Each structure stands twice: as C-alpha cells, then as structure tokens.
Amino acid sequence: MTSFPSQARRVRDPGPAPLRRLHALRECTLHFAPYGFRATWHHLVVSARIPRRLEDDPVSLERAIDELSAARDVLVAARLAYEQERRREKATGRRVPRSRNLSDGQAIAYCPDPERHPTAPLATVVRRVLAADPDGQCVACGTVGGRLGRACAVCGVQAGGPGTWRGDPGAASQWARIWRR
C-alpha cells in the first residue's frame, strides 16, 4: 500500500488522466478518513464540487486533496505534540497517560450516514474533535444531549464511533449511488 503523501502528489500532478488522479484521491481517503471512508468521500465530492465528468473540472481534485491534506496536517501536528507530552510524562515516572491517545485519523468523527456529515471544512472539524470534551456533547459541533450509539441530530457525527453503529438496510444502495457520483 502506498502512503498518503505519495498519493496526494499523484492527485496534484496534472499529467495523468483525471480518472487516475481520482483513484489516487480515493487512496488518500482510505489513509485518512475522519468521518469514516464513506462520509469523508461524500464530503470531499460535495465540498470540492467534483463533477461526474472529471474532464469538466479537473482542478476539483486539487481542491479535494488540499482540504483532506489540511485536515491531516492538523492531526499529524496534534499527534507529534502528544508524543512529546508522553515522553515528558514517562521521564517523570507517569506510565498511565493523562491525556487521550490520538488515533490514526480513521473515523475520529464517525458519521454512519455518508450523506449526513458536518459541512465545515475537515480541518475545522478535526480541530474541534481534538479539543472537545465529549461529556454529553457532540465532539464535532458541541450539541448537548447526544447519546452513545446515536448520530448527532445537527451534524450527523455518532458518539462512540463506528463500533456502536446499528446497520441501516438501505445503506448499500445509498453508498452505491455516492460511489458512482
């Protein structure tokens, strides 16, 4: 499997056919999907206005990868800060982390419905999630009263992540429609 940076370079390279660049964008989304793959993919398609005929607007792929890269950069910076903090804690003898561990960016703001996710830029949502105190409120938008296993009524982010999702029978056909754009 290739890395996010190498696939991002392929998306930004105007030389290959737009379809190859789209496949590289999908690979980047597999590496970093803060809403889960399906909702993150839908968010990128909508926010970057990726057309069905990629030849009509090949620059839309660059808009999408720029947004995804900006969000990933926020998480990478937070992860580096966390690593430095843990080193200091371990040097003082603290073996149990005081702060939470940062994931690899997969579904940190999981949205079970791929068409219902926060509309803010990904980097903004990732910053909110990293700074959030999840006690009784949505980590993405701050709405109070969310319940574990239920998606936020405002932004669609599910408290507890993908492990608490109860499947939707119509989700397969909905995803097929999104995937085909």
Side-chain angles (χ1 to χ4, degrees):
M1 186 185 293
T2 59
S3 67
F4 183 95
S6 69
Q7 290 298 328
R9 280 191 300 275
R10 289 180 181 155
V11 174
R12 289 185 176 101
D13 183 5
L19 187 59
R20 282 188 173 256
R21 295 172 61 206
L22 178 73
H23 290 162
L25 178 63
R26 286 179 179 165
E27 185 73 23
C28 287
T29 308
L30 285 171
H31 285 284
F32 180 71
Y35 301 155
F37 176 77
R38 293 177 175 191
T40 303
W41 181 256
H42 184 263
H43 174 87
L44 293 173
V45 167
V46 171
S47 70
R49 300 176 309 281
I50 299 175
R52 277 190 186 276
R53 286 180 26 98
L54 293 171
E55 295 79 18
D56 293 345
D57 187 12
V59 178
S60 64
L61 298 173
E62 292 176 36
R63 288 191 299 264
I65 195 61
D66 288 344
E67 181 175 1
L68 192 62
S69 293
R72 183 177 176 274
D73 291 345
V74 168
L75 185 70
V76 167
R79 190 181 304 143
L80 290 174
Y82 174 79
E83 289 172 2
Q84 290 173 350
E85 178 185 341
R86 279 299 294 144
R87 281 191 193 99
R88 283 192 300 273
E89 287 176 350
K90 286 181 178 182
T92 62
R94 179 178 296 278
R95 294 295 173 198
V96 177
R98 220 182 309 196
S99 58
R100 62 190 162 101
N101 192 358
L102 298 172
S103 70
D104 59 358
Q106 298 302 321
I108 61 174
Y110 181 67
C111 299
D113 181 351
E115 292 181 322
R116 199 163 153 249
H117 46 75
T119 56
L122 284 172
T124 302
V125 175
V126 169
R127 273 189 208 92
R128 285 181 194 156
V129 169
L130 294 176
D133 181 14
D135 290 340
Q137 65 182 7
C138 177
V139 294
C141 69
T143 302
V144 178
R147 294 186 355 219
L148 188 65
R150 299 273 173 113
C152 174
V154 176
C155 69
V157 172
Q158 180 168 314
T164 59
W165 182 53
R166 294 166 187 78
D168 176 14
S173 63
Q174 178 188 27
W175 173 241
R177 192 176 66 250
I178 292 168
W179 187 250
R180 288 190 304 261
R181 290 186 345 277

